Amino acid sequence: MEEKKPSTADILAKIRAQKAAAAGGSPATAPEAAAVPVAEPAPPVAAALVETAPVKPAAPAAKPGSTADILAAIRAKKGGAAAPAPATPAAAATVAASAPVAAAAAGPAKPLPSIAEMVRAAKPGAAAPVAAVKPPVVAPPMPARPLPPSAKKGAPAPARRSLAGLVTVAGVSLVSFVLGGVFASPVLIAIGALIWCVLLSPFAMAWAALSVVTGIATLGTARFMFPNVLVEPPSKFKIGPPSDYPLNAVSNKWKDQFGVWIVHTDQYEGKDLIYALSTVCTHLGCTPSWLDGEQKFKCPCHGSGFYITGVNFEGPAPRPLERVGLRVAEDGMLEVNKSMKFQEEMGQWVDATSFVDGSLA
Ligand code: FES
């Protein structure tokens, strides 16, 4: 006789009975369960569904939580039982996952790892961090020194100047410089600089040009410190005792320095006098010359002539030469005072300060 297939209700009742038996329940329940009326036979598909009912999968391993959870887990590992419990299940899972890493990181002197390292270590299956090894720094080789243009292949080597040649060139240049300075000739100075520059080197050329410019600027500055000032001789000066001037003689001793002649004569109105005549021609201001052979002053500009007394007698000069002040000083010396002028046509030659008695000579 063919055996009857159990229905779904039977299967369920059987399962419940087995569960109750396993749980130590009352044995009376088993018959009850067994006595559950059977309805209708369940299809085989239902049994298969019951047997192969999907079992609810276990919850996946908790992923690491936030950074705070990771840090809490590491602290818990380090602190042992005293450490606070993780706040969340995820943190607890993180503790379990990161335990090897924390244990490996524990050490007396090892510093705390960075957050990035802790995150990397907290991830399941993460490998232990490997310290990056920097490659050794190798200095690049120095490039080859470029050759000068003159050192090209096949180019002849520059001829070396001899010491004697250099000395000769320097001497010629120096002489030119000195002559240019003595005669104040910029041409000679430029020639000296040119010789120095062309025959020596571009370096010397640059230095020579710089030196010349600097020298000119220095000379200009020094010249600026000494402006053109007309230094006139003093108006009063002593010319020695009267005995230095003999009768009927004209002394040129003070002509160039002070612009006066010292005349000792008795030809003016028959009086023996010593006086000082100005060397300025009364025509247009030239300087006449005393002609001892002709006993007269002759102006080279327009030919005016003056006697030894100073009175004009030829040429365009309109009036006699002028006298300047003369007196005998306290020390017996003759003293000329050019600030005093005496004109014959004005009757000033009779002034006692315009002459000295010739008998004192
Ligand atoms: Fe002496 Fe003319 S300036 S004659």
Side-chain angles (χ1 to χ4, degrees), residues 153-278:
K153 265 189 175 180
R160 294 190 63 182
R161 299 186 180 94
S162 66
L163 180 61
L166 289 176
V167 171
T168 304
V169 171
V172 171
S173 176
L174 183 63
V175 168
S176 181
F177 271 125
V178 171
L179 292 178
V182 169
F183 297 107
S185 170
V187 176
L188 286 175
I189 295 176
I191 289 174
L194 193 64
I195 293 172
W196 184 270
C197 296
V198 171
L199 297 184
L200 291 180
S201 68
F203 241 157
M205 184 185 302
W207 278 109
L210 181 63
S211 302
V212 168
V213 171
T214 306
I216 291 174
T218 305
L219 289 176
T221 305
R223 179 66 186 84
F224 180 75
M225 303 302 289
F226 299 95
N228 289 326
V229 176
L230 178 60
V231 180
E232 291 189 339
S235 59
K236 280 186 179 181
F237 52 93
K238 293 185 177 177
I239 58 174
S243 57
D244 286 354
Y245 303 96
L247 183 62
N248 292 321
V250 174
S251 173
N252 288 304
K253 187 176 180 180
W254 311 104
K255 177 185 177 184
D256 295 334
Q257 186 177 0
F258 295 107
V260 293
W261 288 292
I262 306 301
V263 180
H264 184 188
T265 181
D266 56 0
Q267 295 182 26
Y268 185 72
E269 297 179 349
K271 299 174 183 174
D272 186 4
L273 303 174
I274 299 175
Y275 47 86
L277 282 179
S278 170

Side-chain angles (χ1 to χ4, degrees), residues 247-250 261-268 275 277 290 292 294-297 306-311 313 321 323 349:
L247 183 62
N248 292 321
V250 174
W261 288 292
I262 306 301
V263 180
H264 184 188
T265 181
D266 56 0
Q267 295 182 26
Y268 185 72
Y275 47 86
L277 282 179
W290 169 249
D292 198 49
E294 302 180 30
Q295 288 290 299
K296 67 176 183 182
F297 299 100
F306 305 87
Y307 295 122
I308 190 174
T309 58
V311 176
F313 68 94
L321 296 172
R323 289 182 185 178
W349 281 13

Side-chain angles (χ1 to χ4, degrees), residues 28-131:
T29 56
E32 288 175 8
V36 172
V38 176
E40 57 183 7
V45 177
L49 284 174
V50 171
E51 288 178 352
T52 60
V55 180
K56 193 175 182 180
K63 289 184 178 179
S66 63
T67 305
D69 293 338
I70 298 169
L71 292 174
I74 293 173
R75 285 192 201 102
K77 279 294 172 185
K78 282 189 173 183
T88 62
T94 304
V95 170
S98 60
V101 178
K110 195 169 182 180
L112 284 174
S114 65
I115 294 176
E117 288 172 349
M118 290 188 287
V119 170
R120 208 180 303 124
K123 289 181 179 177
V130 179

Side-chain angles (χ1 to χ4, degrees), residues 281 283-286 299 301-304 316:
C281 178
H283 178 222
L284 293 177
C286 290
C299 183
C301 295
H302 309 100
S304 295

